[in-house]
Amino acid sequence: MRDLFVLAADLDMEAAMKALLQRHDHIGIRKIESSIDRHREHDPGCFKDPVTLLRPQIGQFARALVIFDRKGCGSEASREHIQAHVEQNLARNGWQHRSKVIVIDPELESWVWVRSAKVANALGWRDRYDELRAWLCDKDLWVAGTAKPRHPKVAYRAALRERGKRPSAALFGELAANVPLHRCRCPAFNDLRETLRAWFPP
């Protein structure tokens, strides 16, 4: 039986998770054998029906992880309520004590905004993170003194557009492979990291 099956909402999330799981030393887990698939109905599919895609994996994987954005999933409930709802569904369908749901609030781009020159470089700002942040503040896309932009995806795409870069799954993979993980303060990311550490200790 392999270690972990991940059901992701889209290609961006799949690329980010692939890169993160390769950084097992940085996360604080042992090296694991994993497989990642995408739900063809994206965030709403992960929220409403992850079971259909996970059912064939019950005997193949020790653990299952479902990860999607709160924004656009079809529910206006809190991140915690959505996670609990989907986890109950998984538990009723063979994954009790073996699965975890990670809901990113509001969206995956929340994980991008970590103070690091590597973020600025990946977005085309030549390692100048403070300049990037100041530009976003000038454009009313980031409130000075706050940890992240109000709308992470809007800010992310604006920063790329200003430097003539296109958003891509490969870019999420690059960010996940290089950004200092200890600086991410997103509750969903911390939940993911703590879950992986509990499941797969070194």
Side-chain angles (χ1 to χ4, degrees):
M1 183 175 285
R2 287 179 283 175
D3 295 307
L4 178 66
F5 184 84
V6 180
L7 179 60
D10 54 39
L11 189 59
D12 292 343
M13 212 166 284
E14 178 184 11
M17 285 303 301
K18 280 183 177 178
L20 283 173
L21 290 175
Q22 289 175 2
R23 299 180 69 183
H24 48 90
D25 288 340
H26 294 265
I27 297 173
I29 63 173
R30 63 175 172 83
K31 187 174 182 179
I32 64 173
E33 187 177 358
S34 61
S35 182
I36 304 178
D37 198 2
R38 300 188 304 277
H39 202 298
R40 64 178 180 274
E41 296 179 13
H42 307 294
D43 300 296
C46 288
F47 170 59
K48 295 176 182 177
D49 183 27
V51 171
T52 299
L53 287 177
L54 286 177
R55 187 174 292 117
Q57 315 302 334
I58 288 176
Q60 305 297 319
F61 292 87
R63 307 280 184 173
L65 184 71
V66 180
I67 182 166
F68 59 96
D69 294 337
R70 185 186 67 80
K71 186 175 182 179
C73 78
S75 174
E76 295 300 321
S78 68
R79 177 181 70 88
E80 295 84 357
H81 181 84
I82 295 170
Q83 286 185 186
H85 172 76
V86 181
E87 285 172 358
Q88 290 168 7
N89 188 21
L90 294 177
R92 289 192 298 267
N93 287 274
W95 288 100
Q96 189 172 18
H97 307 308
R98 300 172 53 202
S99 60
K100 179 67 177 176
V101 177
I102 302 295
V103 178
I104 308 173
D105 187 11
E107 55 212 355
L108 179 62
E109 285 78 6
S110 298
W111 291 3
V112 169
W113 299 109
V114 173
R115 178 176 285 279
S116 171
K118 292 181 178 180
V119 170
N121 187 54
L123 300 185
W125 288 75
R126 298 183 182 177
D127 300 332
R128 297 194 296 269
Y129 184 87
D130 289 339
E131 180 181 329
L132 165 59
R133 182 167 175 163
W135 182 83
L136 289 169
C137 289
D138 287 343
K139 297 295 181 182
D140 293 325
L141 295 173
W142 195 323
V143 176
T146 60
K148 295 180 183 292
R150 288 172 295 183
H151 304 290
K153 181 179 286 187
V154 173
Y156 168 76
R157 295 199 169 183
L160 289 174
R161 189 165 53 248
E162 177 68 10
R163 287 297 187 262
K165 295 192 69 171
R166 296 174 61 88
S168 68
L171 183 53
F172 276 100
E174 178 185 347
L175 286 162
N178 293 290
V179 169
L181 302 183
H182 67 280
R183 295 184 183 175
C184 186
R185 295 294 182 262
C186 176
F189 180 80
N190 292 334
D191 200 7
L192 170 66
R193 181 169 50 192
E194 293 308 310
T195 296
L196 292 172
R197 286 175 174 176
W199 283 352
F200 310 113

